[in-house]
Amino acid sequence: MQTALQKAIELILSGDRELANILLVTARTCVSSSLISLLIGVPIGIWLGTGRFRGRQALVVIFRTLMGMPPVVCGLLMYMLFSGVGPFRRFKLLFTVTIMIIAQVVLITPLVIANLETYVSSVADTVRETARGLGFGRWKTLLLLSNECIYPIFSTYLLAFARSIAEVGAVSMVGGAIAWKTNVMTTAIMLYTNRGDFTLGIALGIILIAISLLVNIAVTVMQRRLSR
Amino acid sequence: MKLASCSKTYGRRTVLRCPALDFAPGRICALAGPNGSGKSTYARLAAGVLTPDGGGRVADETGVIRYMPQKSFPFRMSVEDNIRLFGGDEQRAEELMKALGLGGLRRQRARSLSGGETARMSLARVLMQPCDLLILDEPTAAMDMESAIAAEKLVDDYRKECGCAVLLVTHDLSQARRMADEALFFYQGELWESGAAETVLYRPEKEETRRFLEFYGGR
């Protein structure tokens, strides 16, 4: 463990170009996919949490089920859709960072929707009743409800980011873990471990956890400031 | 203010059946009854929060209704911002906060307030704008005696100032007797008795109303 820690520090201090590339691809993939999932998932989560329409419960069950979709299954679906025989082959996205982001968005968005829906549905009726009692219309009620969601949105983002940064099945399947192109931290750890280079694998793992810790601290600080 | 006859059914259970009622301006009408008698359901139907069986609205579209629910929501902002939601009049907010002893809590987050303080804030919030019908569902249930008396005075002043009708849902019989000009008694989802407060709350005709009055403080 001590060797791995030393190796991790050495890797960072040496300015290893391959490591820098892996970190860059990881950051691009994770930040993009978690933010896109948030942009798509938050409005749907609020809509589902406040909505009273036929089929709402069925949609909630579907999204909750999709939360547990195995990443390899998601990767396989994306592979089939974008491969040479798939309907989206003309986009030529297979083994690119873009398809890795798309796969992660598919994987993470249900998590964002289900998480937010749970919170919103727990407060929506009381917020709506209070707002209606004060004579506020639909838009002002929605504004008040959105204001209530700030804290849960941050928690949901952390969840989305954690799922994204720790994910390996989907990105390795559609990205192919190509060195200098689509290799992210998790696929790199797998690659080095398969080669028998456990120390480097553990070193990368430590760096991965450190990045996750930094992002968590940054988001928590923002969450606290905005929640005041 | 006229409210149409209405009913509310959940599944196969009809929880409320009520004839049309007329609330005279400047008068306070207490709505009393045991638990599950349909008081809050009626208040919510009147406020337009619930839709009656058959759809539509119970209240006349032209009248302005303000309603304070039993569980009024403290929004994620300061006490003052909660009262002045979407830019309410500063002077009016000041008067209300002073009358309800909220001056020292104005900068505090509404979520950190106690139950009684939240109720005071919610009452101040609903009294910010004038209206034709003010519906209050157990407004002082969480307040101590001193705050409850201050709240009663404030509601009375508000009703005199804007000439609105007040529908006061309450379990507190002494409060109903202090404040109400008229009274309604609900029992098992039906309007059991209605009329002048001194009749319904002191000399009711029905046995159920008498039992309720005896249980909640006698004559």
Side-chain angles (χ1 to χ4, degrees), chain A residues 52 119 123 126-127 129-136 140 143-144 147-148 150-151 226-228, chain B residues 44 47-49 65-77 85-86 109 111 125-126:
Chain A
R52 289 171 182 167
Y119 175 75
V123 295
T126 328
V127 168
E129 188 169 351
T130 306
R132 182 77 64 87
L134 295 167
F136 297 139
K140 282 186 176 173
L143 268 176
L144 288 169
N147 184 50
E148 294 308 311
I150 289 178
Y151 203 91
L226 278 169
S227 297
R228 265 177 209 158
Chain B
R44 297 170 84 202
V49 173
I65 296 177
R66 289 290 175 267
Y67 160 64
M68 177 184 161
Q70 219 174 82
K71 287 179 186 165
S72 199
F73 194 84
F75 294 110
R76 200 187 56 81
M77 51 185 84
L85 273 176
F86 297 110
R109 275 183 298 159
R111 288 281 167 78
R125 193 164 60 182
V126 82

mmCIF file of all heavy atoms in Angstrom, chain A residues 52 119 123 126-127 129-136 140 143-144 147-148 150-151 226-228, chain B residues 44 47-49 65-77 85-86 109 111 125-126:
data_model
loop_
_atom_site.group_PDB
_atom_site.id
_atom_site.type_symbol
_atom_site.label_atom_id
_atom_site.label_comp_id
_atom_site.label_asym_id
_atom_site.label_seq_id
_atom_site.Cartn_x
_atom_site.Cartn_y
_atom_site.Cartn_z
ATOM 1 N N ARG A 52 -49.875 14.966 -11.888
ATOM 2 C CA ARG A 52 -50.984 14.086 -11.508
ATOM 3 C C ARG A 52 -51.630 13.639 -12.810
ATOM 4 O O ARG A 52 -52.595 14.249 -13.271
ATOM 5 C CB ARG A 52 -52.011 14.845 -10.674
ATOM 6 C CG ARG A 52 -51.535 15.179 -9.283
ATOM 7 C CD ARG A 52 -52.540 16.108 -8.646
ATOM 8 N NE ARG A 52 -52.110 16.515 -7.322
ATOM 9 C CZ ARG A 52 -52.666 17.506 -6.659
ATOM 10 N NH1 ARG A 52 -53.648 18.181 -7.195
ATOM 11 N NH2 ARG A 52 -52.246 17.835 -5.461
ATOM 12 N N TYR A 119 -37.916 13.232 -3.850
ATOM 13 C CA TYR A 119 -37.934 14.424 -2.995
ATOM 14 C C TYR A 119 -39.127 15.320 -3.339
ATOM 15 O O TYR A 119 -39.885 15.729 -2.462
ATOM 16 C CB TYR A 119 -36.627 15.216 -3.131
ATOM 17 C CG TYR A 119 -36.695 16.505 -2.344
ATOM 18 C CD1 TYR A 119 -36.585 16.498 -0.958
ATOM 19 C CD2 TYR A 119 -36.949 17.720 -2.980
ATOM 20 C CE1 TYR A 119 -36.706 17.664 -0.228
ATOM 21 C CE2 TYR A 119 -37.079 18.889 -2.253
ATOM 22 C CZ TYR A 119 -36.948 18.861 -0.876
ATOM 23 O OH TYR A 119 -37.088 20.016 -0.156
ATOM 24 N N VAL A 123 -42.724 16.863 -1.083
ATOM 25 C CA VAL A 123 -43.044 18.234 -0.654
ATOM 26 C C VAL A 123 -44.060 18.936 -1.571
ATOM 27 O O VAL A 123 -44.628 19.965 -1.189
ATOM 28 C CB VAL A 123 -41.775 19.136 -0.561
ATOM 29 C CG1 VAL A 123 -40.845 18.640 0.516
ATOM 30 C CG2 VAL A 123 -41.068 19.283 -1.891
ATOM 31 N N THR A 126 -47.717 19.952 -0.247
ATOM 32 C CA THR A 126 -47.719 21.004 0.780
ATOM 33 C C THR A 126 -47.330 22.350 0.171
ATOM 34 O O THR A 126 -47.933 23.373 0.504
ATOM 35 C CB THR A 126 -46.728 20.651 1.914
ATOM 36 O OG1 THR A 126 -46.671 19.244 2.054
ATOM 37 C CG2 THR A 126 -47.134 21.271 3.221
ATOM 38 N N VAL A 127 -46.319 22.331 -0.719
ATOM 39 C CA VAL A 127 -45.901 23.578 -1.367
ATOM 40 C C VAL A 127 -47.061 24.126 -2.204
ATOM 41 O O VAL A 127 -47.393 25.312 -2.141
ATOM 42 C CB VAL A 127 -44.658 23.345 -2.261
ATOM 43 C CG1 VAL A 127 -44.385 24.546 -3.156
ATOM 44 C CG2 VAL A 127 -43.436 23.057 -1.410
ATOM 45 N N GLU A 129 -50.277 23.537 -1.949
ATOM 46 C CA GLU A 129 -51.408 23.975 -1.112
ATOM 47 C C GLU A 129 -51.129 25.354 -0.506
ATOM 48 O O GLU A 129 -51.981 26.233 -0.518
ATOM 49 C CB GLU A 129 -51.654 22.937 -0.008
ATOM 50 C CG GLU A 129 -52.918 23.217 0.770
ATOM 51 C CD GLU A 129 -53.313 22.061 1.686
ATOM 52 O OE1 GLU A 129 -52.707 20.992 1.603
ATOM 53 O OE2 GLU A 129 -54.247 22.254 2.477
ATOM 54 N N THR A 130 -49.892 25.515 0.002
ATOM 55 C CA THR A 130 -49.522 26.804 0.602
ATOM 56 C C THR A 130 -49.520 27.907 -0.452
ATOM 57 O O THR A 130 -50.070 28.988 -0.231
ATOM 58 C CB THR A 130 -48.133 26.694 1.271
ATOM 59 O OG1 THR A 130 -48.166 25.603 2.183
ATOM 60 C CG2 THR A 130 -47.760 27.956 2.005
ATOM 61 N N ALA A 131 -48.927 27.614 -1.617
ATOM 62 C CA ALA A 131 -48.835 28.625 -2.678
ATOM 63 C C ALA A 131 -50.216 28.993 -3.207
ATOM 64 O O ALA A 131 -50.517 30.167 -3.409
ATOM 65 C CB ALA A 131 -47.954 28.113 -3.807
ATOM 66 N N ARG A 132 -51.065 27.992 -3.398
ATOM 67 C CA ARG A 132 -52.421 28.248 -3.889
ATOM 68 C C ARG A 132 -53.188 29.098 -2.871
ATOM 69 O O ARG A 132 -53.921 30.009 -3.240
ATOM 70 C CB ARG A 132 -53.121 26.911 -4.110
ATOM 71 C CG ARG A 132 -54.526 26.981 -4.674
ATOM 72 C CD ARG A 132 -54.570 27.259 -6.157
ATOM 73 N NE ARG A 132 -53.971 26.222 -6.953
ATOM 74 C CZ ARG A 132 -54.599 25.128 -7.404
ATOM 75 N NH1 ARG A 132 -55.844 24.928 -7.103
ATOM 76 N NH2 ARG A 132 -53.966 24.248 -8.163
ATOM 77 N N GLY A 133 -52.986 28.804 -1.592
ATOM 78 C CA GLY A 133 -53.652 29.550 -0.529
ATOM 79 C C GLY A 133 -53.245 31.019 -0.514
ATOM 80 O O GLY A 133 -53.990 31.879 -0.069
ATOM 81 N N LEU A 134 -52.025 31.289 -1.007
ATOM 82 C CA LEU A 134 -51.537 32.669 -1.044
ATOM 83 C C LEU A 134 -51.879 33.343 -2.374
ATOM 84 O O LEU A 134 -51.461 34.467 -2.636
ATOM 85 C CB LEU A 134 -50.023 32.695 -0.807
ATOM 86 C CG LEU A 134 -49.579 32.222 0.585
ATOM 87 C CD1 LEU A 134 -48.081 31.975 0.631
ATOM 88 C CD2 LEU A 134 -49.975 33.226 1.651
ATOM 89 N N GLY A 135 -52.576 32.621 -3.212
ATOM 90 C CA GLY A 135 -53.044 33.198 -4.482
ATOM 91 C C GLY A 135 -52.024 33.125 -5.604
ATOM 92 O O GLY A 135 -52.169 33.832 -6.602
ATOM 93 N N PHE A 136 -50.990 32.314 -5.467
ATOM 94 C CA PHE A 136 -49.977 32.228 -6.522
ATOM 95 C C PHE A 136 -50.407 31.265 -7.623
ATOM 96 O O PHE A 136 -50.983 30.211 -7.350
ATOM 97 C CB PHE A 136 -48.626 31.774 -5.958
ATOM 98 C CG PHE A 136 -48.042 32.734 -4.958
ATOM 99 C CD1 PHE A 136 -47.424 32.287 -3.805
ATOM 100 C CD2 PHE A 136 -48.132 34.109 -5.167
ATOM 101 C CE1 PHE A 136 -46.909 33.170 -2.873
ATOM 102 C CE2 PHE A 136 -47.618 35.005 -4.244
ATOM 103 C CZ PHE A 136 -47.008 34.537 -3.093
ATOM 104 N N LYS A 140 -45.412 30.793 -10.368
ATOM 105 C CA LYS A 140 -44.816 31.163 -9.084
ATOM 106 C C LYS A 140 -44.699 29.936 -8.178
ATOM 107 O O LYS A 140 -43.734 29.791 -7.428
ATOM 108 C CB LYS A 140 -45.657 32.263 -8.410
ATOM 109 C CG LYS A 140 -45.400 33.630 -9.024
ATOM 110 C CD LYS A 140 -46.108 34.733 -8.300
ATOM 111 C CE LYS A 140 -45.723 36.073 -8.931
ATOM 112 N NZ LYS A 140 -46.494 37.180 -8.386
ATOM 113 N N LEU A 143 -41.719 28.085 -9.314
ATOM 114 C CA LEU A 143 -40.507 28.778 -8.860
ATOM 115 C C LEU A 143 -40.205 28.437 -7.398
ATOM 116 O O LEU A 143 -39.059 28.150 -7.030
ATOM 117 C CB LEU A 143 -40.690 30.293 -8.976
ATOM 118 C CG LEU A 143 -40.242 30.942 -10.277
ATOM 119 C CD1 LEU A 143 -40.574 32.426 -10.256
ATOM 120 C CD2 LEU A 143 -38.734 30.769 -10.460
ATOM 121 N N LEU A 144 -41.259 28.475 -6.576
ATOM 122 C CA LEU A 144 -41.083 28.159 -5.153
ATOM 123 C C LEU A 144 -40.637 26.711 -4.978
ATOM 124 O O LEU A 144 -39.756 26.411 -4.171
ATOM 125 C CB LEU A 144 -42.396 28.398 -4.387
ATOM 126 C CG LEU A 144 -42.789 29.862 -4.196
ATOM 127 C CD1 LEU A 144 -44.211 29.987 -3.681
ATOM 128 C CD2 LEU A 144 -41.837 30.555 -3.229
ATOM 129 N N ASN A 147 -37.035 26.310 -5.989
ATOM 130 C CA ASN A 147 -36.181 26.842 -4.924
ATOM 131 C C ASN A 147 -35.986 25.813 -3.809
ATOM 132 O O ASN A 147 -34.918 25.719 -3.207
ATOM 133 C CB ASN A 147 -36.807 28.136 -4.375
ATOM 134 C CG ASN A 147 -35.946 28.801 -3.346
ATOM 135 O OD1 ASN A 147 -34.759 29.002 -3.562
ATOM 136 N ND2 ASN A 147 -36.515 29.120 -2.204
ATOM 137 N N GLU A 148 -37.028 25.028 -3.555
ATOM 138 C CA GLU A 148 -36.934 23.977 -2.529
ATOM 139 C C GLU A 148 -35.999 22.851 -2.965
ATOM 140 O O GLU A 148 -35.511 22.088 -2.145
ATOM 141 C CB GLU A 148 -38.320 23.381 -2.239
ATOM 142 C CG GLU A 148 -39.303 24.327 -1.603
ATOM 143 C CD GLU A 148 -38.762 24.997 -0.363
ATOM 144 O OE1 GLU A 148 -38.226 24.285 0.501
ATOM 145 O OE2 GLU A 148 -38.861 26.234 -0.260
ATOM 146 N N ILE A 150 -33.065 23.044 -4.545
ATOM 147 C CA ILE A 150 -31.636 23.348 -4.723
ATOM 148 C C ILE A 150 -30.748 22.339 -3.982
ATOM 149 O O ILE A 150 -29.824 21.767 -4.570
ATOM 150 C CB ILE A 150 -31.329 24.808 -4.292
ATOM 151 C CG1 ILE A 150 -31.955 25.748 -5.327
ATOM 152 C CG2 ILE A 150 -29.831 25.044 -4.189
ATOM 153 C CD1 ILE A 150 -31.784 27.205 -5.039
ATOM 154 N N TYR A 151 -31.046 22.125 -2.726
ATOM 155 C CA TYR A 151 -30.214 21.202 -1.931
ATOM 156 C C TYR A 151 -30.251 19.782 -2.512
ATOM 157 O O TYR A 151 -29.187 19.193 -2.766
ATOM 158 C CB TYR A 151 -30.690 21.229 -0.475
ATOM 159 C CG TYR A 151 -29.651 20.788 0.518
ATOM 160 C CD1 TYR A 151 -28.790 21.713 1.101
ATOM 161 C CD2 TYR A 151 -29.515 19.460 0.864
ATOM 162 C CE1 TYR A 151 -27.834 21.314 2.012
ATOM 163 C CE2 TYR A 151 -28.557 19.049 1.773
ATOM 164 C CZ TYR A 151 -27.719 19.979 2.345
ATOM 165 O OH TYR A 151 -26.769 19.574 3.236
ATOM 166 N N LEU A 226 -25.091 28.064 -1.206
ATOM 167 C CA LEU A 226 -26.355 28.359 -1.894
ATOM 168 C C LEU A 226 -27.570 28.053 -1.023
ATOM 169 O O LEU A 226 -28.644 28.599 -1.242
ATOM 170 C CB LEU A 226 -26.455 27.578 -3.197
ATOM 171 C CG LEU A 226 -25.730 28.195 -4.381
ATOM 172 C CD1 LEU A 226 -25.666 27.232 -5.534
ATOM 173 C CD2 LEU A 226 -26.422 29.477 -4.835
ATOM 174 N N SER A 227 -27.393 27.163 -0.053
ATOM 175 C CA SER A 227 -28.542 26.768 0.773
ATOM 176 C C SER A 227 -28.793 27.721 1.920
ATOM 177 O O SER A 227 -29.767 27.596 2.626
ATOM 178 C CB SER A 227 -28.327 25.357 1.312
ATOM 179 O OG SER A 227 -28.268 24.474 0.235
ATOM 180 N N ARG A 228 -27.902 28.668 2.130
ATOM 181 C CA ARG A 228 -28.080 29.614 3.242
ATOM 182 C C ARG A 228 -29.266 30.540 3.012
ATOM 183 O O ARG A 228 -29.563 30.908 1.904
ATOM 184 C CB ARG A 228 -26.820 30.446 3.407
ATOM 185 C CG ARG A 228 -25.919 29.834 4.459
ATOM 186 C CD ARG A 228 -24.629 30.576 4.596
ATOM 187 N NE ARG A 228 -23.590 29.674 5.039
ATOM 188 C CZ ARG A 228 -22.297 29.878 4.860
ATOM 189 N NH1 ARG A 228 -21.879 30.930 4.217
ATOM 190 N NH2 ARG A 228 -21.418 29.041 5.314
ATOM 191 N N ARG B 44 -60.346 23.107 2.176
ATOM 192 C CA ARG B 44 -59.517 22.922 0.979
ATOM 193 C C ARG B 44 -60.347 23.017 -0.298
ATOM 194 O O ARG B 44 -59.878 23.545 -1.304
ATOM 195 C CB ARG B 44 -58.774 21.589 1.058
ATOM 196 C CG ARG B 44 -57.809 21.556 2.237
ATOM 197 C CD ARG B 44 -57.260 20.188 2.471
ATOM 198 N NE ARG B 44 -56.122 19.951 1.617
ATOM 199 C CZ ARG B 44 -55.685 18.750 1.273
ATOM 200 N NH1 ARG B 44 -56.304 17.678 1.715
ATOM 201 N NH2 ARG B 44 -54.659 18.620 0.488
ATOM 202 N N ALA B 47 -61.055 26.679 -0.799
ATOM 203 C CA ALA B 47 -59.867 27.421 -1.229
ATOM 204 C C ALA B 47 -59.453 27.059 -2.656
ATOM 205 O O ALA B 47 -58.584 27.708 -3.238
ATOM 206 C CB ALA B 47 -58.716 27.142 -0.272
ATOM 207 N N GLY B 48 -60.044 26.035 -3.210
ATOM 208 C CA GLY B 48 -59.697 25.625 -4.574
ATOM 209 C C GLY B 48 -58.485 24.716 -4.624
ATOM 210 O O GLY B 48 -57.926 24.474 -5.687
ATOM 211 N N VAL B 49 -58.044 24.241 -3.464
ATOM 212 C CA VAL B 49 -56.888 23.339 -3.419
ATOM 213 C C VAL B 49 -57.329 21.929 -3.839
ATOM 214 O O VAL B 49 -56.604 21.204 -4.497
ATOM 215 C CB VAL B 49 -56.282 23.319 -1.995
ATOM 216 C CG1 VAL B 49 -55.200 22.267 -1.874
ATOM 217 C CG2 VAL B 49 -55.710 24.684 -1.661
ATOM 218 N N ILE B 65 -59.704 34.677 -2.631
ATOM 219 C CA ILE B 65 -59.669 33.839 -1.430
ATOM 220 C C ILE B 65 -58.225 33.678 -0.974
ATOM 221 O O ILE B 65 -57.327 33.448 -1.789
ATOM 222 C CB ILE B 65 -60.285 32.449 -1.718
ATOM 223 C CG1 ILE B 65 -61.771 32.601 -2.077
ATOM 224 C CG2 ILE B 65 -60.138 31.526 -0.506
ATOM 225 C CD1 ILE B 65 -62.459 31.311 -2.448
ATOM 226 N N ARG B 66 -58.004 33.811 0.319
ATOM 227 C CA ARG B 66 -56.688 33.504 0.889
ATOM 228 C C ARG B 66 -56.891 32.382 1.894
ATOM 229 O O ARG B 66 -57.876 32.384 2.644
ATOM 230 C CB ARG B 66 -56.083 34.734 1.580
ATOM 231 C CG ARG B 66 -55.629 35.811 0.618
ATOM 232 C CD ARG B 66 -54.411 35.400 -0.168
ATOM 233 N NE ARG B 66 -54.028 36.369 -1.179
ATOM 234 C CZ ARG B 66 -54.406 36.350 -2.452
ATOM 235 N NH1 ARG B 66 -55.198 35.394 -2.871
ATOM 236 N NH2 ARG B 66 -54.003 37.256 -3.304
ATOM 237 N N TYR B 67 -55.930 31.464 1.923
ATOM 238 C CA TYR B 67 -56.125 30.260 2.738
ATOM 239 C C TYR B 67 -54.826 29.875 3.437
ATOM 240 O O TYR B 67 -53.770 29.826 2.821
ATOM 241 C CB TYR B 67 -56.597 29.150 1.789
ATOM 242 C CG TYR B 67 -56.434 27.730 2.267
ATOM 243 C CD1 TYR B 67 -57.125 27.259 3.384
ATOM 244 C CD2 TYR B 67 -55.617 26.838 1.574
ATOM 245 C CE1 TYR B 67 -56.991 25.934 3.786
ATOM 246 C CE2 TYR B 67 -55.483 25.520 1.965
ATOM 247 C CZ TYR B 67 -56.164 25.067 3.064
ATOM 248 O OH TYR B 67 -56.036 23.763 3.469
ATOM 249 N N MET B 68 -54.939 29.631 4.723
ATOM 250 C CA MET B 68 -53.773 29.143 5.475
ATOM 251 C C MET B 68 -54.043 27.684 5.853
ATOM 252 O O MET B 68 -54.909 27.407 6.676
ATOM 253 C CB MET B 68 -53.575 29.984 6.736
ATOM 254 C CG MET B 68 -52.445 29.498 7.607
ATOM 255 S SD MET B 68 -52.346 30.462 9.126
ATOM 256 C CE MET B 68 -51.379 29.359 10.148
ATOM 257 N N PRO B 69 -53.314 26.755 5.214
ATOM 258 C CA PRO B 69 -53.565 25.340 5.523
ATOM 259 C C PRO B 69 -53.072 24.960 6.914
ATOM 260 O O PRO B 69 -52.290 25.687 7.535
ATOM 261 C CB PRO B 69 -52.778 24.591 4.451
ATOM 262 C CG PRO B 69 -51.806 25.553 3.895
ATOM 263 C CD PRO B 69 -52.261 26.934 4.216
ATOM 264 N N GLN B 70 -53.525 23.806 7.360
ATOM 265 C CA GLN B 70 -53.115 23.312 8.678
ATOM 266 C C GLN B 70 -51.598 23.150 8.751
ATOM 267 O O GLN B 70 -50.981 23.485 9.739
ATOM 268 C CB GLN B 70 -53.789 21.970 8.902
ATOM 269 C CG GLN B 70 -54.272 21.753 10.299
ATOM 270 C CD GLN B 70 -55.059 20.462 10.400
ATOM 271 O OE1 GLN B 70 -54.468 19.400 10.523
ATOM 272 N NE2 GLN B 70 -56.361 20.534 10.317
ATOM 273 N N LYS B 71 -51.035 22.613 7.653
ATOM 274 C CA LYS B 71 -49.572 22.461 7.599
ATOM 275 C C LYS B 71 -49.035 23.425 6.562
ATOM 276 O O LYS B 71 -48.762 23.036 5.433
ATOM 277 C CB LYS B 71 -49.210 21.022 7.217
ATOM 278 C CG LYS B 71 -49.452 20.035 8.330
ATOM 279 C CD LYS B 71 -49.107 18.647 7.868
ATOM 280 C CE LYS B 71 -49.494 17.634 8.930
ATOM 281 N NZ LYS B 71 -49.501 16.274 8.403
ATOM 282 N N SER B 72 -48.879 24.664 6.952
ATOM 283 C CA SER B 72 -48.380 25.675 6.029
ATOM 284 C C SER B 72 -46.878 25.481 5.839
ATOM 285 O O SER B 72 -46.158 25.227 6.800
ATOM 286 C CB SER B 72 -48.679 27.065 6.588
ATOM 287 O OG SER B 72 -48.616 28.013 5.569
ATOM 288 N N PHE B 73 -46.421 25.595 4.611
ATOM 289 C CA PHE B 73 -45.035 25.254 4.292
ATOM 290 C C PHE B 73 -44.084 26.434 4.528
ATOM 291 O O PHE B 73 -44.279 27.505 3.965
ATOM 292 C CB PHE B 73 -44.961 24.822 2.823
ATOM 293 C CG PHE B 73 -43.686 24.145 2.448
ATOM 294 C CD1 PHE B 73 -43.515 22.797 2.664
ATOM 295 C CD2 PHE B 73 -42.640 24.859 1.874
ATOM 296 C CE1 PHE B 73 -42.340 22.162 2.319
ATOM 297 C CE2 PHE B 73 -41.458 24.233 1.525
ATOM 298 C CZ PHE B 73 -41.311 22.881 1.750
ATOM 299 N N PRO B 74 -43.030 26.245 5.348
ATOM 300 C CA PRO B 74 -42.036 27.325 5.481
ATOM 301 C C PRO B 74 -41.035 27.222 4.323
ATOM 302 O O PRO B 74 -40.280 26.269 4.254
ATOM 303 C CB PRO B 74 -41.369 27.019 6.826
ATOM 304 C CG PRO B 74 -41.613 25.560 7.074
ATOM 305 C CD PRO B 74 -42.700 25.075 6.188
ATOM 306 N N PHE B 75 -41.069 28.167 3.402
ATOM 307 C CA PHE B 75 -40.191 28.088 2.231
ATOM 308 C C PHE B 75 -38.729 28.301 2.628
ATOM 309 O O PHE B 75 -38.441 28.945 3.634
ATOM 310 C CB PHE B 75 -40.618 29.104 1.172
ATOM 311 C CG PHE B 75 -41.973 28.802 0.594
ATOM 312 C CD1 PHE B 75 -43.060 29.607 0.874
ATOM 313 C CD2 PHE B 75 -42.159 27.685 -0.206
ATOM 314 C CE1 PHE B 75 -44.321 29.310 0.364
ATOM 315 C CE2 PHE B 75 -43.410 27.384 -0.725
ATOM 316 C CZ PHE B 75 -44.488 28.189 -0.433
ATOM 317 N N ARG B 76 -37.823 27.789 1.794
ATOM 318 C CA ARG B 76 -36.391 27.802 2.093
ATOM 319 C C ARG B 76 -35.823 29.210 1.893
ATOM 320 O O ARG B 76 -35.159 29.498 0.902
ATOM 321 C CB ARG B 76 -35.686 26.800 1.162
ATOM 322 C CG ARG B 76 -34.321 26.324 1.616
ATOM 323 C CD ARG B 76 -33.688 25.488 0.538
ATOM 324 N NE ARG B 76 -33.598 26.207 -0.710
ATOM 325 C CZ ARG B 76 -32.665 27.090 -1.008
ATOM 326 N NH1 ARG B 76 -31.711 27.360 -0.155
ATOM 327 N NH2 ARG B 76 -32.673 27.710 -2.165
ATOM 328 N N MET B 77 -36.147 30.078 2.843
ATOM 329 C CA MET B 77 -35.665 31.465 2.819
ATOM 330 C C MET B 77 -35.899 32.054 4.213
ATOM 331 O O MET B 77 -36.384 31.330 5.098
ATOM 332 C CB MET B 77 -36.403 32.262 1.733
ATOM 333 C CG MET B 77 -37.896 32.151 1.778
ATOM 334 S SD MET B 77 -38.728 32.977 0.404
ATOM 335 C CE MET B 77 -38.676 31.768 -0.887
ATOM 336 N N LEU B 85 -43.207 37.316 0.186
ATOM 337 C CA LEU B 85 -42.981 36.509 -1.020
ATOM 338 C C LEU B 85 -43.297 37.303 -2.284
ATOM 339 O O LEU B 85 -44.339 37.946 -2.360
ATOM 340 C CB LEU B 85 -43.880 35.271 -0.991
ATOM 341 C CG LEU B 85 -43.346 34.035 -0.277
ATOM 342 C CD1 LEU B 85 -44.407 32.950 -0.257
ATOM 343 C CD2 LEU B 85 -42.100 33.501 -0.948
ATOM 344 N N PHE B 86 -42.421 37.244 -3.241
ATOM 345 C CA PHE B 86 -42.569 37.945 -4.526
ATOM 346 C C PHE B 86 -42.837 39.443 -4.331
ATOM 347 O O PHE B 86 -43.701 40.031 -4.986
ATOM 348 C CB PHE B 86 -43.660 37.294 -5.389
ATOM 349 C CG PHE B 86 -43.337 35.881 -5.759
ATOM 350 C CD1 PHE B 86 -44.041 34.821 -5.212
ATOM 351 C CD2 PHE B 86 -42.308 35.601 -6.655
ATOM 352 C CE1 PHE B 86 -43.737 33.509 -5.540
ATOM 353 C CE2 PHE B 86 -41.998 34.289 -6.999
ATOM 354 C CZ PHE B 86 -42.712 33.249 -6.439
ATOM 355 N N ARG B 109 -33.669 31.666 9.246
ATOM 356 C CA ARG B 109 -34.232 30.787 8.218
ATOM 357 C C ARG B 109 -35.563 30.222 8.718
ATOM 358 O O ARG B 109 -35.647 29.753 9.862
ATOM 359 C CB ARG B 109 -33.268 29.648 7.914
ATOM 360 C CG ARG B 109 -32.216 30.055 6.882
ATOM 361 C CD ARG B 109 -31.328 28.909 6.545
ATOM 362 N NE ARG B 109 -30.597 28.449 7.727
ATOM 363 C CZ ARG B 109 -30.066 27.246 7.843
ATOM 364 N NH1 ARG B 109 -30.187 26.378 6.880
ATOM 365 N NH2 ARG B 109 -29.414 26.903 8.936
ATOM 366 N N ARG B 111 -36.995 27.558 8.171
ATOM 367 C CA ARG B 111 -36.954 26.139 8.519
ATOM 368 C C ARG B 111 -36.500 25.884 9.960
ATOM 369 O O ARG B 111 -36.751 24.829 10.513
ATOM 370 C CB ARG B 111 -35.979 25.404 7.589
ATOM 371 C CG ARG B 111 -36.455 25.242 6.195
ATOM 372 C CD ARG B 111 -37.450 24.098 6.078
ATOM 373 N NE ARG B 111 -38.132 24.131 4.811
ATOM 374 C CZ ARG B 111 -37.605 23.712 3.682
ATOM 375 N NH1 ARG B 111 -36.412 23.182 3.664
ATOM 376 N NH2 ARG B 111 -38.269 23.801 2.554
ATOM 377 N N ARG B 125 -48.041 35.792 6.702
ATOM 378 C CA ARG B 125 -47.925 35.649 5.245
ATOM 379 C C ARG B 125 -49.292 35.718 4.566
ATOM 380 O O ARG B 125 -49.455 36.351 3.530
ATOM 381 C CB ARG B 125 -47.233 34.307 4.968
ATOM 382 C CG ARG B 125 -46.744 34.098 3.591
ATOM 383 C CD ARG B 125 -45.775 32.946 3.541
ATOM 384 N NE ARG B 125 -46.361 31.684 3.984
ATOM 385 C CZ ARG B 125 -45.686 30.545 4.064
ATOM 386 N NH1 ARG B 125 -44.402 30.523 3.738
ATOM 387 N NH2 ARG B 125 -46.263 29.442 4.450
ATOM 388 N N VAL B 126 -50.281 35.076 5.177
ATOM 389 C CA VAL B 126 -51.605 35.027 4.537
ATOM 390 C C VAL B 126 -52.371 36.335 4.725
ATOM 391 O O VAL B 126 -53.305 36.623 3.980
ATOM 392 C CB VAL B 126 -52.398 33.795 5.047
ATOM 393 C CG1 VAL B 126 -53.055 34.051 6.375
ATOM 394 C CG2 VAL B 126 -53.418 33.323 4.013
#
